[in-house]
Amino acid sequence: MKITSADLAAAVALPSLVSAAALTADIQYAGHAAVVEFATAVLAGKLSFVSFARKWPQPLSWGAAAAAAAFTQAGITGAAGGAPAVYAWLVSVLGAGAARAVYRHSVRHDQIKVEQAAVQLQSTLIGQQTALIRQQMAHHKLIVMTAPEPDQAGPDLTGRTVEETKLRNVIHELFTAELPGCTVERTRTGWTAVLDLPVNLDRARLRSAWLKVANGMGVAGEFVLEDGALTNQLVARFIDGDPLTAVVPYQRTATGARFTEPVLLGVDRFLNPVWLDLAYNHTLVAGSSKFGKSTLVRSIVVQLADRPDVVLYGMDLKPGAPELTPMAPILQDVAQTPEQAHALLDWLKEELTERGEILATAGDQEWDPEKHGRPAIWVIEDELAELVRQGDDGPWKKNPASKKQESLLALMRFAGMHFLSATQQPSRKVFGGTTDARGNYANRLSTRMNDRDHRRFIFGTTAGWEPGDLDQPGKFLLQSPVHQFPQPYKGMWLTGSEFTAEVARIGATTVRAPVGKRLILPAAGASNQDRVRNALAKYGNCTRRELEQATGLGEKQVLDAARALRPEVERCDDTQTWRIVPSAAWETQAVAT
């Protein structure tokens, strides 16, 4: 420790100030000042003693001791004067110097301790870091020594699922390409994989070689490939087994839907619902017997009949109309003979002309029941081939029914008038001389066809459309403006009791066309009176013109026959119609049926 000039100055200055103050006080107050100084020195000394004894704060203890020494010096300087005063001053200087030296030594000692502690702490940290590095080196050496050497270098082809791993490995093996992305998700019918393709593998190449990919995966099922949202994506949908083996229960669609809304047919191979737009399109349903064609037609018919802006007519030339008779409560009328079929086709042509005039007046191109006042029309034909067989020969040879129908098929869609035609025997003659149905029917459905040659009359010659490959009743192929790729579907199974219940429910609210605006079909009968009686029994009140249409008789013949049937038949002057007297109506109704 080195004593500096500052330390010497501080040791001399403080006693000198105290002595000067004491001398000044003695000159001013004589002996009183010395008494006060001694008394103060005693009190300060006592305070210092008590503070040290009771371990009070050290600044107080040492401060009191310093004050006692200073006031003692002041008392001696002021009271004794002369040599004692010099002696007291000298003692004070030495004491102050000693205190300064002790203080400097203590501070330096503490500083040395702090420096030593810092050095020790730094040394400890360096030792810990060195130990950590040694442990890391030992751990790395252990990993290197225990890790097995890889068999061969290559990309990581492990996926998150078994299917993803197989896809990555097969594609890498076949194309030497690693998929940058592959997402596999489970579905109700199998799983779906979205493949992100690398730059050295395009979609067309992978599509063309997908059979090899499927064989390499070794899974029993079917793949359906689709383009992904991005140009480098391919979606592979795997179908496990045949989901279409299960029965699809009938599902009633929304009551009150408009005629432009699609109808529900069934489900696809992924068990998603299949909808078909019928508005402004003719629809053909083909298929051999016992494979679900009739059930498919029935499910379509009940959905159409449940719409308030739709009316239905029927044409079934088989004896007794076995397919359409159960639908009678929801049909406006059913043509069951060649005469009635021609009458229905002629009425459709007249209706088409009237609707064309209404559209021309309104400046519109398509029929809207809400705007133009008349409902959309569907004509349900059960066996199209029978119309050709029975309606083209005999008295209609010069104006065959098939030509009338072909003309209507080409013209009446814009007027909200449609055909829903079913056939078991599609042929060139059935479709008006064309090689297939595509020119007239935008929607084509087919259940299984036992004769494979019939496919070309339904779907044309494009490969893949093979209704003969359908292996179960209820399965069908569908071709429409929306459905352009061949794939099987499963139709809803509408049981007999469900169909009867739906017909009864809808038939209770089916509105019949008003008198003078309805279709009147020719009534059978041996005599003119029988024809008039049967017509009134079927249609109720009829105008004279409607009786002429129903009987095929002239005005005078109708009036004579009606008058001859009095009192069984009477004329209502209020409505200007003929009717059967209510008391005899039940007898006539029984005869007509």
Side-chain angles (χ1 to χ4, degrees):
M1 181 188 66
K2 181 179 179 181
I3 302 299
T4 63
S5 57
D7 295 331
L8 296 177
V12 174
L14 181 61
S16 299
L17 290 175
V18 172
S19 297
L23 291 174
T24 303
D26 182 61
I27 296 172
Q28 185 72 27
Y29 301 104
H32 297 289
V35 174
V36 173
E37 291 166 352
F38 279 118
T40 303
V42 172
L43 292 176
K46 186 176 182 179
L47 177 61
S48 175
F49 178 78
V50 173
S51 177
F52 278 114
R54 297 188 178 184
K55 297 182 179 181
W56 285 355
Q58 289 191 359
L60 176 62
S61 302
W62 287 103
F71 279 106
T72 300
Q73 177 204 344
I76 295 173
T77 300
V86 173
Y87 178 76
W89 173 82
L90 182 60
V91 171
S92 297
V93 168
L94 294 176
R100 181 71 176 180
V102 170
Y103 171 77
R104 288 289 304 277
H105 176 76
S106 175
V107 170
R108 179 58 182 164
H109 180 72
D110 292 343
Q111 183 177 0
I112 291 173
K113 281 188 174 182
V114 170
E115 291 176 354
Q116 291 177 348
V119 171
Q120 185 176 3
L121 178 60
Q122 185 176 6
S123 176
T124 302
L125 290 176
I126 293 173
Q128 290 178 349
Q129 291 176 354
T130 303
L132 179 60
I133 292 173
R134 289 176 178 175
Q135 289 180 355
Q136 291 175 347
M137 292 174 63
H139 181 258
H140 177 72
K141 184 177 180 180
L142 180 62
I143 291 177
V144 172
M145 293 176 62
T146 58
E149 295 184 1
D151 296 336
Q152 60 182 6
D156 184 7
L157 303 177
T158 304
R160 291 167 293 182
T161 63
V162 175
E163 295 82 7
E164 181 180 342
T165 300
K166 287 184 177 180
L167 279 171
R168 287 182 176 276
N169 281 274
V170 171
I171 290 177
H172 183 267
E173 181 179 351
L174 293 175
F175 306 101
T176 317
E178 183 179 0
L179 296 176
C182 181
T183 304
V184 177
E185 294 183 358
R186 301 296 303 179
T187 64
R188 291 180 295 174
T189 58
W191 48 268
T192 298
V194 180
L195 309 178
D196 296 328
L197 306 183
V199 294
N200 62 333
L201 180 60
D202 57 67
R203 285 194 302 208
R205 183 184 175 194
L206 183 57
R207 275 179 175 274
S208 62
W210 188 261
L211 182 59
K212 295 181 180 180
V213 176
N215 293 335
M217 293 192 66
V219 291
E222 180 184 359
F223 281 98
V224 177
L225 303 181
E226 301 175 0
D227 290 341
L230 303 178
T231 56
N232 68 326
Q233 282 185 338
L234 184 68
V235 180
R237 301 179 184 272
F238 176 71
I239 303 173
D240 189 3
D242 186 3
L244 299 183
T245 56
V247 173
V248 180
Y250 169 73
Q251 179 181 347
R252 181 188 300 172
T253 55
T255 300
R258 294 203 62 200
F259 89 101
T260 52
E261 297 185 27
V263 298
L264 179 62
L265 299 180
V267 297
D268 61 13
R269 288 178 293 175
F270 304 102
L271 302 182
N272 298 317
V274 178
W275 298 85
L276 179 62
D277 289 317
L278 297 182
Y280 307 114
N281 290 316
H282 301 302
T283 303
L284 175 68
V285 183
S288 298
S289 180
K290 306 300 183 182
F291 282 97
K293 171 177 60 66
S294 298
T295 302
L296 198 58
V297 172
R298 286 182 174 186
S299 66
I300 294 174
V301 168
V302 294
Q303 293 181 68
L304 290 175
D306 207 15
R307 302 180 178 186
D309 55 357
V310 172
V311 293
L312 304 178
Y313 295 88
M315 185 186 301
D316 188 356
L317 271 61
K318 297 190 300 297
E323 294 296 335
L324 298 191
T325 297
M327 303 180 188
I330 59 178
L331 301 178
Q332 296 290 320
D333 213 335
V334 180
Q336 304 183 43
T337 65
E339 294 87 355
Q340 293 178 344
H342 276 273
L344 172 57
L345 295 174
D346 292 339
W347 177 82
L348 290 172
K349 185 175 182 179
E350 294 176 3
E351 181 71 14
L352 174 62
T353 301
E354 293 182 13
R355 294 191 176 204
E357 294 173 355
I358 294 173
L359 286 174
T361 302
D364 297 327
Q365 293 182 335
E366 286 188 339
W367 190 263
D368 185 350
E370 290 186 354
K371 181 177 181 180
H372 303 118
R374 298 185 187 181
I377 295 175
W378 263 272
V379 180
I380 315 301
E381 297 177 304
D382 179 61
E383 182 47 68
L384 192 57
E386 285 299 318
L387 173 65
V388 177
R389 293 192 188 100
Q390 300 184 37
D392 285 7
D393 296 330
W396 304 284
K397 197 166 187 178
K398 293 184 178 180
N399 191 15
S402 60
K403 294 300 181 183
K404 291 182 179 180
Q405 166 132 339
E406 185 177 12
S407 176
L408 289 170
L409 282 168
L411 297 175
M412 70 183 196
R413 289 178 297 128
F414 76 94
M417 303 167 65
H418 319 79
F419 279 103
L420 173 59
S421 305
T423 182
Q424 297 183 36
Q425 303 171 357
S427 65
R428 180 180 303 178
K429 187 176 181 181
V430 166
F431 299 125
T434 59
T435 56
D436 55 53
R438 291 177 294 176
N440 294 324
Y441 292 95
N443 298 327
R444 294 171 298 282
L445 299 86
S446 180
T447 58
R448 178 180 172 84
M449 299 291 293
N450 291 329
D451 189 343
R452 288 184 173 270
D453 187 57
H454 285 166
R455 64 172 291 278
R456 62 191 180 95
F457 300 112
I458 306 299
F459 301 114
T461 58
T462 305
W465 298 91
E466 296 291 348
D469 292 339
L470 300 173
D471 57 355
Q472 291 182 357
K475 287 186 177 182
F476 64 94
L477 297 179
L478 169 61
Q479 192 177 86
S480 75
V482 176
H483 306 86
Q484 294 292 319
F485 300 100
Q487 58 177 308
Y489 301 92
K490 187 67 174 285
M492 294 186 295
W493 175 245
L494 180 63
T495 65
S497 58
E498 289 175 330
F499 176 66
T500 302
E502 286 291 272
V503 169
R505 177 183 65 85
I506 301 170
T509 59
T510 298
V511 178
R512 303 296 171 179
V515 175
K517 296 292 185 181
R518 58 188 172 179
L519 167 67
I520 300 296
L521 298 178
S527 64
N528 293 351
Q529 294 178 15
D530 291 337
R531 293 185 181 184
V532 170
R533 182 188 294 110
N534 291 340
L536 293 174
K538 180 177 181 180
Y539 296 111
N541 289 17
C542 290
T543 64
R544 176 185 54 78
R545 184 176 180 182
E546 288 180 334
L547 285 176
E548 292 175 9
Q549 292 176 336
T551 59
L553 303 174
E555 176 181 352
K556 186 176 184 303
Q557 291 173 310
V558 168
L559 293 177
D560 290 343
R563 293 189 182 105
L565 289 172
R566 288 178 176 174
E568 180 184 346
V569 173
E570 67 179 8
R571 185 174 185 273
C572 179
D573 294 332
D574 294 338
T575 60
Q576 300 294 309
T577 58
W578 293 87
R579 66 176 182 174
I580 296 177
V581 177
S583 60
W586 68 273
E587 298 178 359
T588 308
Q589 182 69 26
V591 172
T593 56

